[in-house]
Amino acid sequence: MASLALLSTSSLVSRTKPRFVFSHGYRNYASLITRTLAFTPSSRFTQGQSSVRRARATRILTKRASASAQSLTEEMVEEKPVDDPNSGNSIRRRFLEFFAARNHKVLPSASLVPDDPTVLLTIAGMLQFKPIFLGQVPRQVPRATTAQKCIRTNDVENVGRTARHHTMFIMCGNFSFGDYFKKDAIVWAWELSTKEFGLPADRLWVSVYNDDDEAFAIWHDEVGVPIERIKRMGEEDNFWSSGATGPCGPCSELYYDFHPERGCLDADLGDDTRFLEFYNLVFMQYNKTEEGSLEPLKQKNIDTGLGLERLACILQKVPNNYETDFIYPIIEEASKLANVSYAVADESTKTKLKIIGDHMRAVVYLISDGVMPSNIGRGYVVRRLIRRTVRTGRLLGIKGDGKGNLEGAFLPVIAQKVIELSNEIDPDVRDQAPRILEELRREELRFVQTLERGEKLLDQMLKEALSSGSENGCTPCLSGKDAFLLYDTYGFPVELTVEVAEELGVQVDMNEFDVEMENQRQQSQAAHNAVKLAVGNDADLAETIPETEFLGYETLFARAVVEGLLVNGRPVKQVNEGNEVEVLLNKTPFYAESGGQIGDNGFLCVSRADSQLNGVVLVKDVQKISGSIFVHRGIITEGALEVGQLVEATVDPKLRQRAEVHHTATHLLQAALKKVVGQETSQAGSLVAFDRLRFDFNFHRAVSDNEILEIEGLINEWIGDATLLQTKVMALDDAKSAGAIAMFGEKYGEQVRVVEVPGVSLELCGGTHVSNTSEIRGFKIISEQAVASGIRRIEAVAGDAFIEYILTRDNYMKNLCSTLKVKAEEVTPRVEALLEELRLTRNEVSAARAKAAVYKASAILDKAFTVGNSKVIRVIVESMDDTDADSLKSAAEFLVSHMEDPAAVILGSSPGEGKVSLVATFTPGVVALGIQAGKFIGPIAKFCGGGGGGRPNFAQAGGRKPENLLAALDKARVDIISLLSEKAT
């Protein structure tokens, strides 16, 4: 449980969302707002636990006061909640109060979206204090305590299968920042465990680091733990470090013994059938140097983590964490929907119910903290968990919302229970409930649309793989192409495909899957980005052509040797004037498209000193293949070009400048988006072109007009600050430690280029940039729209493109002002007045057309005929020439109003070229016979190449084949006579 053992390599900047705070100081003020939830009674729990469920929710009234160093014990609690002391919420509260009474500042749980740019999600309780431990920021308090929400998905496949694996869990911790150290940490951990929570001392075991004699002595001499129950363990288990260098130290862990009758001889703390580690103490006392030596820290720190669900499992005397009151009520809700009983279910069913209970808890808290389902970064974590839950629910037989709607979503029903249980852990979840439930409903229904087809296809693929493996006597394997098809077409997360396949003993070719993913990424770029080479493959080319040395950061001109020429993808020795060519050089100042930035344009000219040939190549694009070979695509406008010649390569400086302006503006845009709409936004793709920039980002809603104005204002302010950019090359780990933003999922080498706009932006980037923000001149967003689920796109212009855009718009405005004969500031009210005049005129025209249609209708009223033996059902089926749809409706309403019930009116018209309008109006007497206008009109419209529908008494339809209108009306006449005759009889 070392706190930083699972640091992610992604680098998404995040935020910390405020929760509640325990205020220290001022007597007669309450310590915090807490809430307890009244659970539905269940026979599953012991009598004490059922009382927790039946207890009414109460609150500790509080008034906030400014923080001071005074102890929480000096504060007056006005009302104590009535609660089972071993309920999950009580355990959490008692932990915090225990350390608050020992002068720890009780701090809120940080968001699951961390401030640390090196970590995708909050994975440990100490994460919000990492800058203090690393000495990057000064401490605000000497000691603190928290109950931190955490998410880990590195071993999601074990969720539900083991007793303790979770994607979301609560880590309670106490921290010392250069204050107390080993003795106090150990003594308090023992006191908390044995006195506060009443764990039997003879059931507690301790582990210490091999060489940590000090901790061993404190546990034995000070606390009194027998030597036989203290185990020395190695570096892998009991030594924590923040990285290759930096703060580190030994750990000591507390274990609960479920089977003390087995004795102490040969006891193995790694035996999870007997022992449960529930409390980890990290003694941060050394600094690891680059040479690997350990130097004592001047400021020694304490970082502890107590697994709340694990302690609840012990105190509530249940066999696993899932059956504690944190998760079991969620499992009960899923059991109801699946119509199964957890208590008597087989292990497979229990595992599925546990997965749902765990995953729903995680996704509700993630969405509450602003993480929306998407295909990248944190959003992909949420989407993957949601889809895994949906599929698991379907395997349990859950259909619909449990309220009779088989087409409805079941996730929101279960999420309601998670929200009910959230009050003390995170009160904000209840406030976010409508957004959470709607997002879950939308995501589930979207996935279900393709899930059934995908499941059938996967089942077929796995059967074929098993059959092939059996025939060939080898391990069954699903191809990477098939796995990618399921992912790309049917929305199956590849992890889900692997999981299903493994259940049947089928492997998945993940190497081939990765290749398919990379191919899709390249193919999804704009068509002009493609490099069409017909040489055997890139690897063959790389064997004969050396890597291209890129000089474009320092210069726009270079002399280079032509290493290769390609025409239609085939290598040639010489290319003549008028031919398209692909040129490979030994070095180049041309930037090759990457990182969203398009390739440079310019010229390649044969050096006259080298040859009599006067060859000139107009370069229109530059691409990279095999990692670092630059391909210059262009056309020979003069002379000829040969392999081995010396050429002068010159980049078009104006176009390079336009690209640099847009690339730097893209960095500013990302920074502004994070500041204005939220730190949870992250880049999902970009295009840096000469005439514009395009930036895709994950976000769950449209950016408002006011937010766009604020973003533009921020960026133009940064431009006006005339800030010098700083660019440096450094180790990837150092860049991430410095807070540099990287594209999630992008692969980077050990050394990376970092571009910084001081005080604004810090990103890993290989593109070209301006040297000073003032070179951007101006920035304007020209569009914002959705491009995929959870993905928004902003297009903008900067620099020369910005000036051109403004001048063009200004010219449009001048022309408009001239046409309307008003000043610019008067255009809006003038246009609004014209629109109102147009609306009134249209209404008048529409009214006139309706009157004309009614007049026409009155002329055909006497064409009504009777149907049925009683001859009382009157029917009109007629064409009204070119009457428009609205007027046709008015005519039908007029006719039916002048006919006695029962009556049916069916009219058709051709209001324009390639247009057909149809309308059917039935009186109540006809509807009572079971004949509905909405169902009747659809088949008639198909004759005219269209469709339609509506209510039982009124329906409209359209079509595209006016030539078939009369035939359609003839069919309508025959059908209505047949139906009415049959029904009336």
Side-chain angles (χ1 to χ4, degrees):
M1 285 172 57
S3 300
L4 280 180
L6 295 171
L7 278 181
S8 165
T9 57
S10 65
S11 54
L12 297 171
V13 176
S14 326
R15 60 185 168 81
T16 298
K17 183 168 68 171
R19 296 286 187 263
F20 60 85
V21 178
F22 280 85
S23 300
H24 290 254
Y26 295 108
R27 298 189 180 194
N28 302 326
Y29 282 83
S31 60
L32 87 153
I33 299 175
T34 59
R35 306 170 186 168
T36 53
L37 180 66
F39 296 111
T40 304
S42 169
S43 60
R44 172 67 192 81
F45 284 87
T46 64
Q47 183 178 359
Q49 291 164 321
S50 293
S51 68
V52 178
R53 290 172 169 248
R54 291 191 294 269
R56 280 194 169 277
T58 59
R59 297 184 182 182
I60 300 175
L61 302 177
T62 184
K63 294 182 181 178
R64 289 186 178 245
S66 58
S68 74
Q70 296 184 41
S71 167
L72 181 70
T73 55
E74 296 180 353
E75 301 177 1
M76 184 179 73
V77 177
E78 298 179 6
E79 184 181 348
K80 273 280 187 184
V82 179
D83 207 352
D84 182 335
N86 290 334
S87 72
N89 284 333
S90 286
I91 296 170
R92 175 184 173 279
R93 190 184 311 117
R94 289 164 66 190
F95 178 94
L96 296 174
E97 290 175 349
F98 178 90
F99 284 103
R102 287 154 183 79
N103 297 319
H104 288 66
K105 179 69 178 266
V106 183
L107 296 176
S109 171
S111 169
L112 288 171
V113 181
D115 275 333
D116 190 331
T118 67
V119 185
L120 189 66
L121 294 163
T122 297
I123 60 172
M126 60 76 64
L127 197 60
Q128 63 174 306
F129 306 118
K130 182 184 169 187
I132 301 175
F133 288 138
L134 296 179
Q136 297 170 344
V137 299
R139 71 180 190 184
Q140 300 299 312
V141 292
R143 52 181 74 173
T145 184
T146 64
Q148 175 64 51
K149 302 172 300 180
C150 300
I151 292 282
R152 292 181 189 172
T153 58
N154 55 304
D155 50 6
V156 68
E157 67 279 355
N158 288 323
V159 170
R161 304 182 188 279
T162 69
R164 300 168 191 102
H165 275 97
H166 298 298
T167 51
M168 179 193 165
F169 55 94
I170 308 297
M171 186 66 73
C172 295
N174 57 286
F175 308 92
S176 168
F177 312 113
D179 189 9
Y180 63 86
F181 199 50
K182 285 185 186 179
K183 181 177 179 180
D184 285 337
I186 290 173
V187 170
W188 285 338
W190 186 261
E191 184 181 348
L192 176 77
S193 302
T194 58
K195 294 183 179 178
E196 177 63 33
F197 292 120
L199 298 180
D202 59 358
R203 284 200 170 202
L204 298 184
W205 290 62
V206 174
S207 70
V208 297
Y209 181 55
N210 275 336
D211 300 334
D212 195 354
D213 296 332
E214 181 185 2
F216 191 101
I218 295 172
W219 281 115
H220 178 58
D221 299 336
E222 301 285 341
V223 176
V225 180
I227 290 177
E228 61 270 21
R229 293 213 308 274
I230 306 176
K231 294 285 187 179
R232 293 182 183 267
M233 301 178 75
E235 185 172 345
E236 181 178 349
D237 296 304
N238 279 69
F239 196 91
W240 175 87
S241 61
S242 61
T245 61
C248 57
C251 305
S252 186
E253 298 170 330
L254 274 168
Y255 291 79
Y256 185 80
D257 186 357
F258 287 101
H259 297 285
E261 71 278 2
R262 297 181 186 176
C264 297
L265 187 65
D266 297 326
D268 178 12
L269 294 182
D271 178 5
D272 60 7
T273 65
R274 175 178 178 180
F275 295 105
L276 171 62
E277 179 227 326
F278 67 94
Y279 205 172
N280 180 36
L281 316 177
V282 177
F283 310 126
M284 218 176 295
Q285 65 187 96
Y286 300 114
N287 176 56
K288 184 182 291 186
T289 66
E290 292 184 357
E291 293 76 28
S293 61
L294 299 178
E295 300 175 346
L297 285 173
K298 293 181 181 179
Q299 176 177 300
K300 297 178 179 180
N301 304 306
I302 290 292
D303 157 28
T304 80
L306 179 144
L308 186 55
E309 291 82 1
R310 295 188 176 197
L311 184 57
C313 177
I314 296 170
L315 294 177
Q316 294 176 11
K317 296 181 172 60
V318 291
N320 56 71
N321 293 2
Y322 296 94
E323 298 185 38
T324 66
D325 60 359
F326 282 119
I327 303 176
Y328 192 75
I330 310 170
I331 291 176
E332 282 187 312
E333 198 67 35
S335 299
K336 292 176 188 176
L337 291 173
N339 197 28
V340 297
S341 169
Y342 179 87
V344 298
D346 57 37
E347 285 306 312
S348 175
T349 300
K350 283 185 176 181
T351 297
K352 293 180 178 67
L353 290 168
K354 290 174 185 176
I355 289 171
I356 292 175
D358 171 89
H359 287 9
M360 285 307 302
R361 193 169 177 237
V363 298
V364 164
Y365 283 88
L366 281 165
I367 294 174
S368 176
D369 278 355
V371 184
M372 294 295 106
S374 70
N375 287 330
I376 61 170
R378 304 182 185 100
Y380 181 68
V381 173
V382 177
R383 176 160 287 170
R384 177 186 175 193
L385 293 176
I386 289 175
R387 291 183 169 182
R388 198 166 188 259
T389 307
V390 172
R391 178 179 177 271
T392 303
R394 291 173 68 86
L395 291 175
L396 284 171
I398 298 177
K399 291 284 187 180
D401 60 5
K403 301 175 183 177
N405 182 8
L406 296 180
E407 302 301 321
F410 74 88
L411 296 187
V413 180
I414 302 175
Q416 284 279 16
K417 180 59 65 175
V418 181
I419 293 167
E420 289 175 15
L421 298 172
S422 68
N423 277 11
E424 288 207 17
I425 297 172
D426 183 356
D428 283 359
V429 172
R430 184 178 291 273
D431 297 334
Q432 299 293 330
R435 181 172 62 85
I436 295 169
L437 297 177
E438 175 57 25
E439 191 64 37
L440 287 172
R441 184 195 67 81
R442 184 167 56 244
E443 187 69 14
E444 178 182 346
L445 295 181
R446 184 186 296 124
F447 182 46
V448 167
Q449 289 176 355
T450 55
L451 181 59
E452 290 183 353
R453 284 178 292 160
E455 284 177 333
K456 290 178 181 177
L457 182 58
L458 175 58
D459 183 60
Q460 178 184 337
M461 290 175 174
L462 293 176
K463 286 179 179 177
E464 292 174 357
L466 288 167
S467 175
S468 175
S470 176
E471 291 176 2
N472 299 323
C474 59
T475 302
C477 184
L478 183 69
S479 73
K481 289 184 178 180
D482 285 344
F484 180 76
L485 174 67
L486 289 164
Y487 166 82
D488 190 46
T489 305
Y490 297 99
F492 261 63
V494 67
E495 299 86 356
L496 189 57
T497 299
V498 171
E499 185 176 324
V500 176
E502 287 180 347
E503 291 173 0
L504 297 176
V506 179
Q507 296 180 351
V508 178
D509 188 341
M510 291 304 299
N511 290 331
E512 188 177 40
F513 175 85
D514 291 338
V515 170
E516 292 296 317
M517 280 290 289
E518 178 63 18
N519 289 340
Q520 187 212 44
R521 186 187 69 80
Q522 294 177 359
Q523 292 169 7
S524 66
Q525 297 175 349
H528 73 273
N529 295 342
V531 181
K532 298 178 180 178
L533 296 175
V535 179
N537 54 52
D538 289 355
D540 294 339
L541 192 62
E543 291 178 2
T544 57
I545 302 295
E547 293 184 354
T548 310
E549 180 185 358
F550 178 58
L551 308 173
Y553 291 138
E554 296 82 25
T555 182
L556 299 182
F557 173 82
R559 288 187 172 87
V561 176
V562 177
E563 297 285 353
L565 295 172
L566 300 166
V567 175
N568 295 324
R570 300 183 181 280
V572 296
K573 292 295 184 180
Q574 180 177 321
V575 185
N576 297 317
E577 183 177 329
N579 289 302
E580 292 186 353
V581 65
E582 291 164 341
V583 185
L584 312 178
L585 305 176
N586 66 330
K587 54 187 175 181
T588 183
F590 284 80
Y591 182 83
E593 179 177 317
S594 60
Q597 181 177 334
I598 66 173
D600 281 329
N601 288 187
F603 295 92
L604 301 178
C605 300
V606 175
S607 173
R608 290 185 179 276
D610 181 67
S611 170
Q612 294 301 313
L613 291 172
N614 184 25
V616 177
V617 180
L618 175 62
V619 178
K620 301 299 293 181
D621 187 26
V622 184
Q623 295 286 328
K624 260 194 291 193
I625 60 173
S626 298
S628 54
I629 297 176
F630 286 47
V631 180
H632 305 74
R633 297 182 61 196
I635 186 169
I636 297 185
T637 59
E638 183 180 342
L641 192 63
E642 291 181 350
V643 173
Q645 283 183 319
L646 184 68
V647 296
E648 296 175 346
T650 306
V651 174
D652 185 323
K654 289 184 178 180
L655 292 182
R656 166 65 80 85
Q657 170 70 8
R658 292 173 76 110
E660 290 176 341
V661 161
H662 281 129
H663 206 149
T664 305
T666 300
H667 286 212
L668 299 182
L669 173 58
Q670 176 160 223
L673 275 168
K674 288 182 175 293
K675 191 165 186 177
V676 174
V677 303
Q679 291 289 343
E680 68 269 22
T681 62
S682 60
Q683 184 175 349
S686 67
L687 170 67
V688 175
F690 304 132
D691 60 339
R692 72 192 189 285
L693 68 87
R694 186 179 71 213
F695 186 80
D696 294 348
F697 59 102
N698 65 308
F699 201 52
H700 62 280
R701 62 169 175 83
V703 181
S704 70
D705 292 342
N706 287 337
E707 287 171 331
I708 286 176
L709 287 174
E710 187 176 352
I711 290 167
E712 289 177 338
L714 264 177
I715 294 173
N716 283 307
E717 180 181 332
W718 291 333
I719 291 170
D721 288 340
T723 303
L724 287 170
L725 273 70
Q726 298 178 10
T727 303
K728 61 184 72 173
V729 176
M730 61 176 68
L732 177 60
D733 289 342
D734 292 340
K736 289 182 176 179
S737 297
I741 298 175
M743 270 286 288
F744 181 74
E746 192 76 15
K747 296 180 180 179
Y748 296 95
E750 293 182 2
Q751 295 292 310
V752 293
R753 186 169 180 264
V754 179
V755 177
E756 180 179 11
V757 182
V760 177
S761 168
L762 183 68
E763 296 192 33
L764 305 184
C765 182
T768 63
H769 290 270
V770 299
S771 58
N772 189 299
T773 58
S774 62
E775 296 173 38
I776 301 175
R777 301 165 72 188
F779 175 90
K780 179 67 179 175
I781 292 174
I782 58 178
S783 70
E784 191 276 344
Q785 60 186 334
V787 291
S789 174
I791 304 293
R792 309 293 303 180
R793 170 172 293 172
I794 283 179
E795 292 200 11
V797 289
D800 286 348
F802 164 78
I803 301 299
E804 292 162 2
Y805 178 82
I806 295 299
L807 291 176
T808 301
R809 301 286 285 220
D810 183 61
N811 191 47
Y812 290 152
M813 178 59 76
K814 286 178 180 177
N815 290 337
L816 186 58
C817 290
S818 176
T819 301
L820 297 175
K821 295 180 171 52
V822 294
K823 297 178 181 178
E825 59 270 22
E826 298 171 347
V827 166
T828 298
R830 179 60 178 143
V831 170
E832 289 175 347
L834 289 172
L835 288 174
E836 178 62 18
E837 291 176 18
L838 180 60
R839 186 185 66 81
L840 293 173
T841 302
R842 283 178 173 172
N843 288 343
E844 291 172 359
V845 171
S846 179
R849 286 177 176 171
K851 287 180 181 179
V854 168
Y855 179 77
K856 283 184 181 181
S858 64
I860 63 173
L861 188 58
D862 59 358
K863 293 185 179 182
F865 57 90
T866 59
V867 176
N869 296 330
S870 62
K871 302 295 183 180
V872 296
I873 305 175
R874 297 170 61 79
V875 177
I876 292 178
V877 181
E878 291 292 334
S879 170
M880 292 192 67
D881 304 323
D882 60 353
T883 302
D884 65 90
D886 289 340
S887 299
L888 196 67
K889 175 185 176 184
S890 298
E893 291 172 343
F894 168 82
L895 288 170
V896 82
S897 69
H898 285 74
M899 298 166 67
E900 293 183 6
D901 189 18
V905 174
I906 302 158
L907 302 177
S909 68
S910 177
E913 186 176 350
K915 292 182 180 180
V916 173
S917 292
L918 292 165
V919 65
T921 306
F922 297 166
T923 63
V926 173
V927 175
L929 294 174
I931 305 173
Q932 298 186 9
K935 293 182 178 179
F936 179 83
I937 201 69
I940 305 303
K942 286 183 179 179
F943 268 70
C944 299
R951 303 186 303 275
N953 65 320
F954 178 82
Q956 286 180 289
R960 302 181 304 279
K961 299 177 179 179
E963 63 273 17
N964 293 347
L965 176 59
L966 293 180
L969 290 175
D970 287 341
K971 175 174 171 54
R973 185 176 293 105
V974 172
D975 287 355
I976 195 65
I977 291 173
S978 175
L979 284 169
L980 288 174
S981 298
E982 178 186 347
K983 298 292 185 180
T985 300

